[in-house]
Amino acid sequence: MTESPPTIGVFDSGFGGLTVLRALIPRLPRARFAFIGDTARLPYGSKSRRTIARYAVESAQFLVREQGAEFIVIACNTASALALDAIQDAVPVSVLGVIEPGAAAARVASTTGDVLVIATDATVQSHAYRAACAAQNLRAFEKACPLLVPLVEEGWVNHRVTDEVIRIYLGELTAEAKADGLKPDTLVLGCTHYPLLRQNFERAVPHGVKVIDSAESTAEAAARLFNGHAHSPSDTQSGCPIQPGDEQTSLGWAESDTSDEAEIQIKCFATDSVEKFERLGSRFLGRPTGNVELVDLGG
């Protein structure tokens, strides 16, 4: 009897987390995916830790109870930083955030042990990346880049204004890090909107600086879990360190699949602004989102 494919639940406060889903699909092509964007209550960053945890738990429980998710990916840096423990306590499945995998990938990439992190203000204020990098024996210098999210949502990815903003942010960040005694050779993109700007960053960083896409790192960590490299939720919580060449094996649901992409099963849900989700979401997902279903998670 053919084994039923697993359902992987992915959630974000908005639709930026679709970049994580986009990275998961080719690594776990035989899985089903359910994504929810809590668009009625964004941004999470302006809320208290307690409120963020409540919102995030409600999204995770919806994915597990209503969609049958067997594994949860928190495709939201703010929720990963402030609500990971609460989510793990609330659902009976493995939970993976986006922060530890990004730090683990930076550890593999960096030779100096010094890394730069750019993120939203809420993520930077939490210092979650600094702590995760410290756990990997890295020194991290963080900077909030608040102009980038609206530029991405405006569709100004290939725009000289966006390139100039990136140049200014990176110039400030590099100077501040060096003044603090760091010799950074790695840049972590600590926001799920930023993967759409990866090429912009790769053009703008100083020579020799590697760019880490935390969406890609998280997808690799998820594939490792399904391939049996990680054996418990605690393995993923610690970052599920990625070793070069380790992303794919011949085991589990991360096997390569020759089936037509049209057979990939994705269901998207939003708590508000369904039309905007469908319009902008396809840009982040790299394919049409399909019909996005409106759901109510409460106040």
Side-chain angles (χ1 to χ4, degrees):
M1 188 169 71
T2 303
E3 185 180 354
S4 176
T7 297
I8 298 176
V10 185
F11 82 85
D12 186 17
S13 59
F15 37 78
L18 287 166
T19 59
V20 178
L21 177 55
R22 181 177 185 169
L24 282 165
I25 290 168
R27 290 172 172 83
L28 296 166
R30 295 166 61 197
R32 299 190 189 99
F33 297 98
F35 181 97
I36 183 166
D38 192 8
T39 45
R41 304 187 290 196
L42 63 78
Y44 278 10
S46 61
K47 312 296 192 301
S48 69
R49 178 187 288 265
R50 181 176 180 178
T51 298
I52 291 167
R54 176 166 63 87
Y55 289 173
V57 163
E58 289 171 350
S59 290
Q61 289 177 334
F62 167 80
L63 291 169
V64 173
R65 295 173 180 174
E66 303 297 327
Q67 301 305 312
E70 301 160 53
F71 182 62
I72 295 292
V73 178
I74 311 171
C76 173
N77 281 273
T78 302
S80 295
L82 301 174
L84 180 60
D85 290 345
I87 297 165
Q88 289 165 342
D89 290 341
V91 295
V93 300
S94 296
V95 179
L96 180 69
V98 290
I99 291 174
E100 287 82 1
R107 187 203 66 181
V108 174
S110 178
T111 56
T112 67
D114 293 339
V115 303
L116 305 173
V117 179
I118 58 169
T120 63
D121 185 65
T123 300
V124 169
Q125 290 299 319
S126 75
H127 296 302
Y129 271 102
R130 188 169 69 185
C133 286
Q136 300 286 345
N137 296 315
L138 298 170
R139 294 192 298 173
F141 198 96
E142 304 163 299
K143 184 176 182 62
C145 301
L147 294 178
L148 295 181
V149 167
L151 286 170
V152 170
E153 293 190 0
E154 190 65 28
W156 287 20
V157 172
N158 299 307
H159 198 290
R160 63 181 182 276
V161 170
T162 304
D163 287 335
E164 180 65 10
V165 169
I166 288 173
R167 186 191 67 78
I168 293 170
Y169 276 144
L170 287 181
E172 293 175 350
L173 176 58
T174 302
E176 291 164 3
K178 289 183 177 178
D180 215 35
L182 276 68
K183 297 180 179 179
D185 65 351
T186 303
L187 172 69
V188 178
L189 305 183
C191 172
T192 54
H193 280 64
Y194 297 173
L196 295 186
L197 298 172
R198 179 172 181 169
Q199 292 183 351
N200 308 62
F201 281 108
E202 289 176 336
R203 292 193 299 265
V205 294
H207 178 71
V209 173
K210 306 170 203 63
V211 176
I212 301 298
D213 179 342
S214 57
E216 294 284 336
S217 302
T218 301
E220 289 174 3
R224 284 169 55 84
L225 181 64
F226 272 87
N227 281 327
H229 290 291
H231 302 287
S232 71
S234 62
D235 292 332
T236 61
Q237 292 162 25
S238 63
C240 199
I242 315 286
Q243 300 299 331
D246 243 3
E247 303 85 42
Q248 301 280 349
T249 73
S250 60
L251 303 174
W253 291 103
E255 292 176 354
S256 61
D257 196 300
T258 58
S259 60
D260 193 285
E261 282 199 350
E263 297 180 12
I264 294 172
Q265 299 179 61
I266 303 171
K267 293 178 67 176
C268 290
F269 304 86
T271 56
D272 194 16
S273 306
V274 167
E275 295 80 7
K276 181 178 181 181
F277 190 107
E278 292 175 346
R279 176 169 48 85
L280 293 182
S282 60
R283 188 182 305 161
F284 288 81
L285 187 58
R287 67 180 74 210
T289 60
N291 293 325
V292 178
E293 184 175 333
L294 183 66
V295 296
D296 184 2
L297 297 181

